[in-house]
Amino acid sequence: MSDNLYVDVILPLAVKGTFAYHIPPGTCVELTPGMRVAVPFGKRKIYTAVIYRVYQTKPSGFEVRDIVSVLDAKPVVTDLQLRLWEWISDYYMCTLGEVCNAALPSGLKLESETRIIPNRLPDQDELLNETERSVLDSVSRTGGMSIKQLQKAYRDRDVMSLLKVMMDKELLSIEEKIREKVREKILVMIRLPGTREDTKQIDELFNKMKRSEAKKRLLSAYLKLKGDKNVKDGGEIEKTVLLRKAATRHSVLKEMINQGIFEALEKKVPLREIHAQEIPLRGNKQPARLNDSQQLAFQAIGKQLKDHNVVLLHGVTSSGKTEIYIHLIRKTLNKGKQVLYLLPEIALTAQMINRLRLVFGEKVAVYHSKYSDRERLQTWRTLLPGGDQKDRKIHIILGARSSVFLPFMNLGLVIVDEEHENTYKQFDPAPRYHARDTSIILAGLHGAKVVLGTATPSLESYYNCITGKYGLVELPERYLDMKMPEILVVNTREARRREAMYSHFSLTLSEYISRALQNRDQVILFQNRRGFSSYLECQDCGYVPLCMRCDVSLTYHKKTSRLKCHYCGYSEAIPLKCPVCKNENIMMKGFGTEKIEEEIALLFPEARVGRLDLDTTRTRKSYEQLLDDFDKKEIDILVGTQMVSKGLDFDNVKVVGIMNADTMLNFPDFRAHERSYQLMAQVSGRAGRKKERGLVIIQTTCDDHTVIEAVVKHDYHAMYSNQMTERRNFNYPPFCRLISVTLKHKNRELLDGAAEKLAKNLKHHLGERVSGPEYPLVERIQNFYLKTLLIKLEKSSKLQEVKSLVSIEIQALLRSSPFKSLQVIPDVDPY
C-alpha cells in the first residue's frame, strides 16, 4: 500500500462536508469507501467515521492528521447507500454527517464504546518509556479502558498522540465493544398473602364476597390459574393475565389489594427474555387465493409497472390490499430479488409480521427503532454482501421509515403501505426526509419498482397518477363484497340543546355502543388527543397553567395526577388554587383519551376497556399486547388517538365513534381538510370488515362541512376535487414546491432581527415567493423562540439553484457576529 494514501471521511455529526485524513504507512488492509475508521476530531475526541473517498494526492492548505485505526475488513456501507446519502443531503438541505448519523445503527457509531486493549504485558518489552509502561500497565490491569477513561487518568498528556505512538508499536489496539442496552420490562404480579393460603381462609373470603360477583370472579380466576402446572414463582400471577381471565376491571383488583386480600409485587423481565417469545418462523402457508377484483388489480399492477416505476394502488379499506402485496412479494422473491415493505407506524409491524411470516417464514426480518441496538446491527450485517448461508435467508424487510437506510444488495420491490401518512416524514432532527419519496429514489438506484398503497391517497400521489407520472390501479370494492360502513353524523351543539348528551357521549353513540356490547361486538372510539383534559382554566380570572419552557398550555394527565407539556415533557403538580386570584374555581377544559376511558367505565361498568395512545405504548411489547388482547376479544372497547386509524385489521369491530371531528377540521394548516378526511375515513374503515356491516358515528358541530359530507359518502374523489381547487387558487402543493426556514434563539429580540434580515435578503432574490417571517402556532419550545419563513416555488423553478441561494444566505447570516449562536433549520417539503 502506498505511503501517500488519504481518505475523506463522513463523521456522524452535524458538520458540513467531509474531512481528510492520512493513512499511516504499514496499514495492511486495502481501504475502500464504506469502511469505518477511528479518527481524531477536535482536541481530545475520537469518532468512528465512514470512508467516503480514497486518493493519493495530499490535500493542501491544512495539516492532515493520521487515522487512529481501521475498524473493518470490508465495507459496512455500500456504494448505493453512499449515493442515497448524497441525494438526501442534497435534496433535504442537510449535511452528510447528519444523514450518516440517522442511517447507521448505534452499534456502528461512536455510541458504541471505543475501548483500548493491550497487545502484550508491560514486562514483555524493556524498550518502553515510563509513560508508555504506565499506560500499558493501566490498560492491562483493567482488561481494557475507554479513551475517555485514559484522558481522565492522563490529563497532562496528549493522549491521542500517545495512543498513536503506542499503536504504531503494536502495544495497544482498538476494540469496538458494543454497549448492549438491555432494558427491563416491569411485570406486576399478584399473589395471596401467606396467611390466606389454606382452604378455610379461602372459604371465609368467598363468604365475605357474596355481594360482589366481580371479586368472586377474580379470586376464582386466581385459584384456577394458580393450579395450572405452568404457573411458577410460588403462585404469582401476572396482573394482566388475571384481569383477562376474570373479565374484571382494574379498580376491582385495586380494591382487593387495598383490603389485603391480594398482594402486588413487581418483577423485572430482561428484554432478551421477552424477545425469545416471538412467533415461530413457520412460512409454510400458501398465500390466500385472490378473488376476482384482487386478481384484476394484481394483473393491472403488473401491466402498469412495465410503463411506470411507481404505481399507486388505491383500494378502499378492507379491500384486501395486503393479500395483493403478498402475491407481489412472492413474485419478486421468485426472481431472486429483495423486498422492502414500509409501514408508517412501528406498531403496525405487530400484525403484519404475523401475516408475512406465515407465508415467508424466516425470509422476513423487522427493522425499526423499538428493536435493540444489537438486533438492528445484526439485521444490518446480515444484509451486507458476504457471510455464511444463514445470512442469505433474509429477503424481506418489514419496517418503519429508517428501513430505507439498510444495505440492500438486490432490491426488486418497495411497498409503501398507507403512503398518505405524515409519519413517513422525519420532522426533527435532520435529515428531515420523507421515507415515501426517499424510497422511490432508493428503488431507482437499484432498478426496483415501487407500489404505493392506501385507501386515502395523498393529494400529491393522486395528482401524479392523474398527470401520468405514476401508474394507478383502483380497487373500489371491499373483500367478500362487504358493504362500506354506514356513517351517522351527530351535531353535538344541537344534541346539547336537546339535552341528548352525557358528558362527551351523544345519546346516539351511547345507544349503539350498548347494542354492540350486548351482541358481544367490539367498539373503537377515536379521540385525537391524549391525556385527561386539554387544559385547566380559572373561572374567575381566566388563568391557564402554561409550560415554563414552551408557549403552550399544560395537559392534565389523571393517571399521574400532573399537568404535562406534550412538547418538552415538563410537568408540574395541579394547583389547588389559582396562583393569580387565589380562588379555587379551577375547571378542566377539553378532553382526551384518558377522560374518555374514565367516562366509559361510568357508562358501561362491565365493559373491558383498553387505551391506545403514546402514554400506554411506550414499548414495542406494550403496543403488541394491547392489539393482541383486542384481537382476542379480551377488550370490548378500544379508545385511541390516530394510532387506531392506521391499517389495523380486526374481525369483530361493529361500531366506531369519532368523538370530536372539529379539532381536526379547524387546525390552522393547509393540509387540515385532507388529513381530516384521511383520518376519519381510515378509522371508519376499521368497522365491519369481516361480518356484518359496520356503523360509524361522527360527533361534530360542523355536520354540513364538505369534508364530513365526503366521509359520509365515502367519496374520496369529491374531497380531492374540492381540495385541488383550493390548492390551485392559493398556490399550494402539488402546484408548487415549499421550503420552510425556521430560526431559533432564546433571545426574542435577536431572533426578530435575524429573521427580518434573512427575509429581506431572500426577498431581494426571490421576491414574493418568500412569505413571513411569522411566529408559528407555538411560538416558544424548550425556551427557544421560533420564527418561520415559507418559500413557495413554481414547479418550473430550478429547485437546486434556489436551495443553493438559501444555503448561502443562511451561512452569511450565521457569520454575522450577533447571530452566530442562532439556529437556522431549512426543511424541504415541510408538511
Side-chain angles (χ1 to χ4, degrees):
M1 182 178 288
S2 172
D3 290 348
N4 296 317
L5 198 62
Y6 301 88
V7 291
D8 288 338
V9 302
I10 304 169
L11 286 159
L13 302 170
V15 288
K16 192 173 182 180
T18 57
F19 295 83
Y21 288 87
H22 176 241
I23 305 301
T27 302
C28 56
V29 179
E30 183 178 351
L31 299 179
T32 58
M35 294 172 64
R36 291 178 308 147
V37 288
V39 298
F41 190 74
K43 291 184 178 179
R44 293 180 175 271
K45 293 186 177 180
I46 283 183
Y47 285 93
T48 299
V50 175
I51 297 177
Y52 182 68
R53 188 166 67 99
V54 183
Y55 52 98
Q56 291 186 330
T57 305
K58 182 179 180 180
S60 59
F62 59 90
E63 181 184 352
V64 182
R65 303 166 76 179
D66 286 349
I67 67 166
V68 176
S69 177
V70 179
L71 300 178
D72 304 304
K74 295 180 180 179
V76 296
V77 178
T78 68
D79 290 339
L80 288 180
Q81 283 179 288
L82 289 174
R83 287 169 61 186
L84 182 67
W85 292 10
E86 290 170 345
W87 179 84
I88 294 172
S89 171
D90 182 59
Y91 185 81
Y92 290 106
M93 299 180 68
C94 59
T95 67
L96 270 173
E98 288 169 321
V99 182
C100 175
N101 188 50
L104 293 179
S106 296
L108 294 178
K109 295 183 294 189
L110 200 62
E111 285 148 295
S112 56
E113 185 180 359
T114 305
R115 288 173 59 83
I116 306 299
I117 57 174
N119 287 339
R120 55 180 182 266
L121 298 175
D123 56 5
Q124 292 179 317
D125 197 329
E126 297 179 357
L127 300 179
L128 298 177
N129 62 40
E130 183 179 341
T131 305
E132 290 171 345
R133 188 177 296 278
S134 173
V135 170
L136 191 53
D137 180 59
S138 299
V139 175
S140 299
R141 274 189 285 104
T142 57
M145 295 178 68
S146 70
I147 295 172
K148 186 176 181 179
Q149 289 171 323
L150 282 169
Q151 288 174 327
K152 186 177 290 188
Y154 296 90
R155 292 179 182 276
D156 58 335
R157 294 298 307 248
D158 181 356
V159 170
M160 295 304 302
S161 299
L162 179 61
L163 289 176
K164 173 67 173 60
V165 172
M166 295 183 71
M167 287 177 185
D168 289 343
K169 293 181 178 181
E170 298 184 354
L171 299 170
L172 300 172
S173 61
I174 281 184
E175 173 193 59
E176 197 71 0
K177 183 177 180 181
I178 309 303
R179 286 196 306 252
E180 184 180 341
K181 302 173 184 175
V182 181
R183 299 187 299 274
E184 293 178 314
K185 179 179 180 179
I186 306 297
L187 296 179
V188 178
M189 309 299 292
I190 305 299
R191 72 180 182 189
L192 283 174
T195 57
R196 298 190 184 277
E197 287 290 344
D198 62 84
T199 305
K200 183 179 178 180
Q201 291 279 349
I202 290 172
D203 288 341
E204 289 178 3
L205 286 175
F206 274 115
N207 289 331
K208 291 179 181 179
M209 297 175 188
K210 286 182 179 179
R211 296 183 179 180
S212 177
E213 289 297 325
K215 289 182 180 178
K216 287 167 68 176
R217 284 203 311 271
L218 256 177
L219 184 56
S220 297
Y222 172 84
L223 294 172
K224 186 174 181 180
L225 287 168
K226 185 189 172 190
D228 191 322
K229 63 182 180 180
N230 294 321
V231 174
K232 301 176 183 179
D233 300 324
E236 295 173 7
I237 309 294
E238 188 180 341
K239 183 184 80 172
T240 55
V241 174
L242 178 59
L243 290 174
R244 191 183 310 141
K245 182 73 174 177
T248 308
R249 299 194 314 275
H250 168 73
S251 58
V252 179
L253 177 60
K254 185 176 180 181
E255 184 178 348
M256 294 178 75
I257 293 171
N258 292 338
Q259 292 172 349
I261 299 172
F262 283 125
E263 286 181 341
L265 307 168
E266 287 189 349
K267 178 183 176 183
K268 294 180 180 180
V269 182
L271 191 65
R272 62 168 64 90
E273 186 176 324
I274 297 168
H275 288 169
Q277 302 167 10
E278 296 285 2
I279 65 167
L281 303 180
R282 295 178 285 269
N284 54 8
K285 181 180 177 182
Q286 288 298 311
R289 185 172 181 177
L290 301 178
N291 63 21
D292 291 344
S293 297
Q294 290 173 316
Q295 186 63 36
L296 288 173
F298 176 72
Q299 292 171 351
I301 291 172
K303 291 178 181 178
Q304 291 280 3
L305 287 175
K306 292 179 181 178
D307 300 321
H308 301 88
N309 291 324
V310 182
V311 171
L312 172 66
L313 174 59
H314 178 201
V316 296
T317 55
S318 193
S319 57
K321 294 186 291 294
T322 303
E323 287 301 333
I324 296 175
Y325 299 152
I326 289 173
H327 281 257
L328 289 169
I329 290 170
R330 186 173 66 165
K331 183 178 178 180
T332 305
L333 295 187
N334 289 339
K335 296 177 182 178
K337 301 280 189 177
Q338 295 171 317
V339 176
L340 171 60
Y341 193 134
L342 284 175
L343 291 166
E345 287 279 352
I346 289 171
L348 290 179
T349 59
Q351 279 196 339
M352 193 56 64
I353 190 62
N354 290 334
R355 296 185 68 173
L356 293 182
R357 279 187 174 163
L358 281 171
V359 179
F360 302 109
E362 58 188 337
K363 292 180 181 178
V364 188
V366 182
Y367 189 88
H368 56 63
S369 59
K370 292 288 186 183
Y371 276 75
S372 69
D373 293 342
R374 176 177 52 80
E375 290 169 309
R376 280 180 286 157
L377 178 60
Q378 181 178 348
T379 300
W380 184 287
R381 292 194 182 279
T382 295
L383 290 172
L384 286 169
D388 57 28
Q389 290 299 311
K390 182 181 178 181
D391 289 346
R392 306 277 66 81
K393 289 182 180 179
I394 294 179
H395 296 281
I396 305 165
I397 291 292
L398 176 68
R401 60 176 179 247
S402 60
S403 303
V404 298
F405 293 119
L406 282 166
F408 296 99
M409 299 305 300
N410 195 19
L411 189 63
L413 176 68
V414 177
I415 296 170
V416 185
D417 201 7
E418 309 295 352
E419 66 83 26
H420 66 279
E421 286 287 353
N422 68 330
T423 46
Y424 280 123
K425 169 73 175 178
Q426 165 76 11
F427 289 102
D428 207 40
R432 294 170 177 83
Y433 67 101
H434 198 295
R436 178 196 61 210
D437 302 337
T438 303
S439 71
I440 293 173
I441 301 300
L442 171 69
L445 291 171
H446 286 266
K449 300 293 185 179
V450 180
V451 174
L452 311 177
T454 178
T456 54
S458 63
L459 297 189
E460 286 85 351
S461 292
Y462 203 77
Y463 177 78
N464 284 335
C465 294
I466 298 300
T467 55
K469 185 176 180 180
Y470 295 170
L472 174 64
V473 175
E474 302 205 85
L475 195 58
E477 303 294 333
R478 277 189 152 190
Y479 187 68
L480 298 177
D481 295 322
M482 286 296 301
K483 290 184 177 181
M484 295 295 288
E486 179 187 0
I487 300 181
L488 304 179
V489 181
V490 177
N491 188 314
T492 50
R493 185 184 289 116
E494 180 65 18
R496 291 190 191 282
R497 189 186 67 79
R498 293 187 289 106
E499 297 184 351
M501 292 284 292
Y502 173 79
S503 188
H504 301 101
F505 288 80
S506 65
L507 185 60
T508 303
L509 179 57
S510 298
E511 288 178 350
Y512 280 110
I513 291 175
S514 181
R515 289 184 201 175
L517 295 176
Q518 289 172 11
N519 296 329
R520 301 200 173 188
D521 292 320
Q522 291 175 292
V523 178
I524 289 177
L525 297 177
F526 170 65
Q527 168 63 7
N528 203 24
R529 181 167 289 169
R530 62 190 173 101
F532 190 83
S533 65
S534 305
Y535 61 97
L536 304 185
E537 182 180 48
C538 175
Q539 298 303 288
D540 295 321
C541 70
Y543 166 78
V544 175
L546 301 175
C547 176
M548 293 180 62
R549 300 191 286 257
C550 310
D551 287 340
V552 66
S553 59
L554 296 173
T555 300
Y556 172 51
H557 287 253
K558 189 171 184 178
K559 184 176 181 180
T560 57
S561 193
R562 294 184 70 81
L563 300 172
K564 186 175 181 180
C565 175
H566 287 175
Y567 283 85
C568 71
Y570 167 81
S571 69
E572 63 181 42
I574 301 168
L576 298 177
K577 59 176 64 176
C578 175
V580 176
C581 68
K582 308 304 179 184
N583 292 329
E584 298 180 1
N585 192 14
I586 298 177
M587 300 289 289
M588 297 177 186
K589 299 289 185 177
F591 65 101
T593 50
E594 203 176 10
K595 180 73 175 292
I596 298 300
E597 183 184 29
E598 181 181 271
E599 290 182 352
I600 289 170
L602 298 175
L603 280 169
F604 309 102
E606 296 305 316
R608 297 164 298 177
V609 184
R611 177 159 54 92
L612 189 66
D613 58 25
L614 188 62
D615 296 323
T616 61
T617 56
R618 296 288 181 181
T619 66
R620 170 165 62 101
K621 278 294 174 181
S622 61
Y623 186 95
E624 292 174 5
Q625 186 64 58
L626 262 171
L627 295 187
D628 187 54
D629 290 347
F630 193 64
D631 192 39
K632 292 177 180 176
K633 297 192 71 173
E634 291 166 357
I635 292 175
D636 301 312
I637 302 175
L638 184 63
V639 183
T641 56
Q642 60 182 333
M643 284 181 166
V644 301
S645 72
K646 298 179 180 179
L648 299 175
D649 186 13
F650 299 110
D651 295 351
N652 302 294
V653 176
K654 178 65 183 294
V655 175
V656 167
I658 297 174
M659 302 301 298
N660 184 7
D662 299 352
T663 54
M664 298 179 285
L665 291 168
N666 298 325
F667 193 77
D669 186 329
F670 79 92
R671 292 195 189 276
H673 290 175
E674 175 193 5
R675 287 181 177 158
S676 296
Y677 176 88
Q678 289 166 341
L679 270 172
M680 285 188 276
Q682 288 285 343
V683 75
S684 298
R686 302 314 110 201
R689 295 174 72 89
K690 297 288 171 67
K691 298 179 181 179
E692 300 176 8
R693 187 184 187 190
L695 177 71
V696 180
I697 294 100
I698 300 176
Q699 297 188 158
T700 178
T701 60
C702 311
D703 54 344
D704 59 347
H705 198 289
T706 56
V707 171
I708 299 287
E709 291 175 353
V711 173
V712 170
K713 296 176 182 176
H714 306 286
D715 193 347
Y716 170 83
H717 296 93
M719 184 278 296
Y720 174 82
S721 178
N722 289 334
Q723 289 303 299
M724 291 299 280
T725 300
E726 288 191 12
R727 300 278 183 93
R728 187 180 287 107
N729 291 340
F730 294 99
N731 193 29
Y732 276 102
F735 302 105
C736 73
R737 292 182 180 276
L738 296 181
I739 301 174
S740 75
V741 181
T742 301
L743 296 87
K744 298 173 62 174
H745 202 277
K746 292 185 177 181
N747 184 313
R748 185 166 187 155
E749 292 181 0
L750 187 146
L751 176 69
D752 288 340
E756 290 297 334
K757 182 175 181 179
L758 181 60
K760 180 181 178 181
N761 293 341
L762 289 175
K763 287 176 181 178
H764 176 73
H765 298 286
L766 300 173
E768 295 183 357
R769 297 180 184 88
V770 182
S771 59
E774 300 287 346
Y775 285 105
L777 189 64
V778 180
E779 297 182 7
R780 182 174 60 109
I781 297 177
Q782 295 182 350
N783 285 327
F784 282 90
Y785 291 98
L786 311 176
K787 252 192 169 177
T788 302
L789 297 164
L790 187 63
I791 304 170
K792 289 184 181 179
L793 301 172
E794 303 86 356
K795 294 299 284 284
S796 58
S797 297
K798 295 180 179 178
L799 182 62
Q800 190 55 47
E801 291 183 6
V802 174
K803 287 191 291 188
S804 297
L805 170 66
V806 172
S807 296
I808 290 170
E809 291 297 342
I810 290 173
Q811 293 305 315
L813 179 73
L814 294 176
R815 284 195 295 269
S816 305
S817 56
F819 306 131
K820 289 183 178 180
S821 58
L822 189 75
Q823 295 183 44
V824 184
I825 303 166
D827 189 0
V828 181
D829 303 336
Y831 300 103

